[in-house]
Amino acid sequence: MALTLKEMGFKNLYCLRGGYREWVKAQWPVEAVGGNVKQECITCHNDVTPGIVADWKVSKHAQHEVTCAVCHGDRHASSEDASKVLPINPDRCGMCHQIKADQFKKGKHSLAWGTLKAMPTAHWQTLAKMEGVRGCESCHRLGYKTEAEIVALKQSGAGFGYVSCDVCHTRHTFSKKEAQQPQACQTCHMGFDHPQYEMWSASKHGVRYLLKQNGILPESATAPTCQTCHMQEGNHAVRTAWGFLAVRLPLPLDPKWAEARKMILQALGVLDPNGKPTARLDLVGKADIVRLTQEDWLNERIKMVTTCNACHSANFVLSELDKGDQMIKRTDIVLAEGIRVVAGLYKDGILKKPASYAHPFPDFLSFHDAPTTIDLKLWRMFMEYRMRAFQGVFHASPVYAQWYGWGEMQQSLTELKEMAAELRRRAHPEKKALPRKPK
Ligand code: HEC
Ligand code: HEC
Ligand code: HEC
Ligand code: HEC
Ligand code: HEC
Ligand code: HEC
Ligand code: HEC
Ligand code: HEC
């Protein structure tokens, strides 16, 4: 039995330097390959995958003799037995980088895989889409998985990229400097419902940072990156106050907003049309999709205020963040009105309930099953325009907040109402002939 790091007296190998060679030997005794395992991997892979060897050579790992076999094991030594390499997950990195791995496991990124699997929408996806490179999981793969899950995924032909840590510290350079650049977040945090990179890069914050990157502004110029605000002090447990969907409990004090939030919770299927909690509440709570307490929200908010306060005055910061909260409120009220219109069509039998919907009520988490344009319009209000509006405020992007967000939101409600009226006219042509009631 190999010694654990704790047994060797090290909190994490990252700081141990001197003793780690012995530990490595204890973990992975060189027997299967024979001879000088370090050199054999490198010599052969210099021909087989020269790019990988070149990247590894410039890494800190190479300097510290964290060789190929330390991560991959030494059971494979030729082209015939490549399947014998060990599965790698954050725990393996954590043997030497315990603090980072523990933080990672506490943050939202570690949930990205579980959430995806738990979503009712995921069931709709064909296997090809789910497991393929361009499917949901090309971004959501960064969620934590056990080694056993990774083995199973590989056996199912799902491929590589499940190690999580290497989404920001790309293999095999595993560079800190690379992960500190906002571009490390760009591959996933862009587009449709979460265009944070586009917002940030065209904001004052982003423009200044990009000018620093190309050397026009000096290194000392202040400009926050995604990491400044979301990985404070290098903390790998990324998480925000509102979260992605910006729906949280308890309900707000403002009665109009509270009513709108309730309507949205119903469309998420977390409350049933009578306002009673459903099994989904448990699911979204477990997946940390909805913040369930005021303290939870407040703790994250205080962290953020402190971060902004390093460059801006407290007054400035509080008023800016409040604008974000107010935008959530405004869009919630417009969205709720949209939900009410579409729910009315279901109630009156004008739209037929799709099979996957639990109730004759819009269901945002099963929207794929919604066959009608009006359902899709409503879903886009929720998933695209509302997201863009409040995310745009939080990321100092007036273009997203106003034009791509709030503006589209209002326009969509008008269109939605017209579509609903038209559907009602078509369902009851006889009513068309009736004279309009005088006001
Ligand atoms: C710090 C740990 C670490 C070290 C050291 C390391 N690797 Fe890797 N390697 C990884 C990770 C993580 C992956 C991704 C595995 C996955 O997605 O399942 C990987 C994947 C690979 C792959 C398959 C994927 C691809 O891109 O082709 C090859 C081949 C490979 N490594 C070779 C090497 C060689 C050769 C060395 C030594 C020069 C080496 N590795 C050193 C962590 C490491
Ligand atoms: C005699 C040549 C040779 C030696 C020695 C060798 N490898 Fe490989 N390795 C290969 C070949 C060939 C492949 C398959 C590459 C391909 O499909 O393009 C491979 C594949 C891999 C992969 C990817 C496995 C996968 O799932 O696709 C990893 C990781 C890897 N080697 C690591 C190592 C490590 C670590 C060592 C040393 C313990 C090592 N190799 C020694 C030839 C070698
Ligand atoms: C056997 C121990 C060991 C393992 C396993 C290991 N590392 Fe490292 N890692 C190190 C050492 C040693 C350093 C250099 C530390 C230093 O220079 O202060 C390092 C440095 C790093 C750095 C900082 C690089 C920089 O540019 O400063 C990152 C990022 C990193 N490792 C990520 C990983 C990831 C991801 C994995 C798993 C795929 C991993 N490590 C596995 C020992 C290890
Ligand atoms: C490989 C894709 C990927 C990369 C790269 C990535 N993220 Fe994420 N991120 C995700 C996914 C997926 C989620 C949602 C996880 C979940 O909860 O299911 C997420 C969630 C988040 C959240 C939490 C939002 C909430 O709900 O509270 C923050 C903050 C975040 N990421 C910031 C970053 C930053 C900063 C970087 C770069 C340093 C980054 N991400 C890099 C995919 C990625
Ligand atoms: C381009 C990368 C990418 C793709 C592809 C992607 N997602 Fe995401 N997903 C993210 C990011 C990033 C977040 C977090 C966004 C945020 O917090 O603003 C996220 C968040 C989520 C969340 C909310 C998690 C939470 O805790 O709030 C769910 C559910 C989700 N995605 C499901 C899916 C499904 C289903 C698919 C496939 C149809 C998919 N995603 C495809 C990047 C992606
Ligand atoms: C969302 C992107 C992201 C992911 C995923 C990520 N890291 Fe990091 N990592 C960073 C950033 C950014 C830094 C630089 C933090 C700082 O400025 O101190 C960093 C720094 C590090 C360092 C260097 C610490 C130091 O102070 O020198 C190590 C080691 C490390 N990460 C390991 C890991 C491991 C292990 C994992 C997986 C469990 C991981 N990282 C996942 C973004 C990421
Ligand atoms: C100046 C600070 C700052 C910078 C820079 C920043 N963000 Fe944010 N981010 C915020 C604030 C504030 C929120 C909303 C927090 C809350 O819920 O109260 C947020 C929220 C998020 C969320 C959760 C959903 C949402 O958008 O509301 C994700 C994901 C996210 N940011 C990713 C990123 C990424 C990726 C980058 C870089 C491209 C980035 N952020 C740059 C401050 C920042
Ligand atoms: C690392 C320093 C830094 C941090 C942290 C930071 N900012 Fe900024 N911010 C700047 C600089 C520099 C500017 C451009 C000069 C200016 O407008 O004050 C700016 C501009 C802005 C602007 C645009 C103001 C305008 O007049 O166009 C807003 C809004 C903003 N920041 C909000 C925030 C919020 C909210 C946070 C925290 C979530 C934050 N900032 C965090 C440095 C920072």
Side-chain angles (χ1 to χ4, degrees):
M1 259 288 283
L3 289 172
T4 67
L5 277 176
K6 280 225 174 78
E7 283 163 347
M8 288 182 71
F10 295 116
K11 238 184 136 189
N12 71 56
L13 198 68
Y14 177 66
C15 32
L16 66 85
R17 308 275 153 77
Y20 102 93
R21 280 193 187 83
E22 282 65 47
W23 175 78
V24 168
K25 274 191 205 144
Q27 292 287 313
W28 294 289
V30 181
E31 39 193 43
V33 187
N36 188 341
V37 62
K38 291 179 215 153
Q39 210 39 56
E40 292 212 16
C41 315
I42 296 164
T43 311
C44 187
H45 273 272
N46 231 343
D47 291 334
V48 181
T49 55
I52 287 178
V53 176
D55 273 349
W56 174 78
K57 276 193 175 150
V58 298
S59 73
K60 281 267 170 71
H61 288 146
Q63 283 170 28
H64 290 267
E65 290 193 54
V66 181
T67 58
C68 321
V70 170
C71 290
H72 292 292
D74 61 1
R75 288 179 211 147
H76 131 79
S78 73
S79 49
E80 278 78 55
D81 59 4
S83 62
K84 286 191 186 152
V85 297
L86 296 177
I88 308 175
N89 77 350
D91 295 331
R92 180 175 305 255
C93 312
M95 294 179 112
C96 300
H97 304 296
Q98 193 190 349
I99 295 168
K100 298 297 177 204
D102 286 351
Q103 289 174 343
F104 173 82
K105 284 200 226 167
K106 288 198 201 104
K108 287 284 286 177
H109 279 154
S110 72
L111 290 170
W113 184 248
T115 313
L116 182 66
K117 299 278 242 196
M119 281 298 107
T121 43
H123 302 165
W124 172 86
Q125 298 289 322
T126 62
L127 202 65
K129 267 200 170 157
M130 285 289 293
E131 316 267 308
V133 193
R134 275 177 296 275
C136 314
E137 59 112 63
S138 53
C139 299
H140 284 266
R141 64 188 180 175
L142 99 154
Y144 178 83
K145 287 152 246 80
T146 61
E147 289 191 356
E149 281 176 294
I150 291 177
V151 171
L153 275 165
K154 289 215 158 158
Q155 276 164 0
S156 77
F160 294 81
Y162 295 94
V163 182
S164 312
C165 311
D166 56 346
V167 302
C168 298
H169 307 283
T170 314
R171 63 181 193 263
H172 281 82
T173 40
F174 292 108
S175 150
K176 172 174 162 181
K177 201 164 177 191
E178 178 189 347
Q180 282 172 321
Q181 307 310 314
Q183 285 90 346
C185 325
Q186 184 180 9
T187 49
C188 306
H189 287 277
M190 61 177 301
F192 194 65
D193 51 346
H194 38 69
Q196 285 101 2
Y197 190 86
E198 290 93 321
M199 293 168 179
W200 170 84
S201 58
S203 74
K204 262 282 172 234
H205 293 153
V207 167
R208 271 172 69 90
Y209 188 76
L210 297 169
L211 289 174
K212 272 171 75 171
Q213 269 186 339
N214 54 30
I216 291 168
L217 282 178
E219 195 47 43
S220 60
T222 53
T225 60
C226 322
Q227 290 84 341
T228 315
C229 296
H230 295 296
M231 295 185 75
Q232 293 106 330
E233 286 156 17
N235 187 348
H236 279 47
V238 302
R239 201 164 176 279
T240 61
W242 278 102
F244 178 41
L245 299 183
V247 178
R248 71 181 181 96
L249 294 172
L251 291 177
L253 294 175
D254 180 319
K256 207 168 168 202
W257 192 6
E259 199 197 318
R261 174 98 53 84
K262 217 172 125 189
M263 190 65 107
I264 296 170
L265 287 166
Q266 286 170 329
L268 282 167
V270 165
L271 300 178
D272 71 16
N274 300 317
K276 295 227 170 59
T278 66
R280 263 195 209 164
L281 180 61
D282 210 33
L283 182 110
V284 297
K286 273 203 197 107
D288 199 14
I289 293 174
V290 173
R291 310 289 177 266
L292 297 174
T293 66
Q294 182 73 4
E295 292 90 310
D296 190 9
W297 180 86
L298 200 57
N299 288 340
E300 295 292 350
R301 176 51 66 88
I302 290 168
K303 242 169 51 186
M304 191 61 84
V305 171
T306 316
T307 306
C308 317
N309 199 197
C311 300
H312 298 288
S313 79
N315 275 339
F316 176 92
V317 174
L318 292 175
S319 84
E320 283 305 317
L321 293 179
D322 184 58
K323 280 186 204 161
D325 298 344
Q326 293 307 317
M327 184 57 99
I328 295 175
K329 174 175 156 179
R330 280 160 76 189
T331 53
D332 277 0
I333 291 168
V334 172
L335 178 65
E337 211 175 325
I339 296 171
R340 211 169 286 126
V341 169
V342 178
L345 297 176
Y346 279 113
K347 188 161 161 270
D348 298 341
I350 290 165
L351 282 183
K352 211 173 126 258
K353 180 181 104 68
S356 66
Y357 287 21
H359 307 279
F361 199 89
D363 183 349
F364 288 152
L365 298 190
S366 302
F367 84 98
H368 300 97
D369 209 27
T372 66
T373 321
I374 195 163
D375 272 302
L376 279 177
K377 182 120 216 140
L378 178 64
W379 186 78
R380 282 188 85 158
M381 283 174 75
F382 170 59
M383 209 61 189
E384 187 177 359
Y385 311 135
R386 176 175 169 277
M387 292 293 192
R388 292 178 168 204
F390 78 80
Q391 293 177 358
V393 180
F394 284 136
H395 292 97
S397 167
V399 177
Y400 273 89
Q402 292 304 322
W403 293 348
Y404 304 153
W406 178 239
E408 290 283 349
M409 197 74 196
Q410 288 171 299
Q411 210 174 314
S412 296
L413 182 63
T414 309
E415 285 167 15
L416 196 99
K417 283 179 171 166
E418 276 172 15
M419 286 162 86
E422 177 60 27
L423 285 175
R424 284 184 183 277
R425 268 195 296 275
R426 266 195 256 151
H428 299 287
E430 70 284 0
K431 286 202 178 154
K432 218 165 131 191
L434 295 177
R436 277 171 196 271
K437 269 189 206 151
K439 283 217 170 161

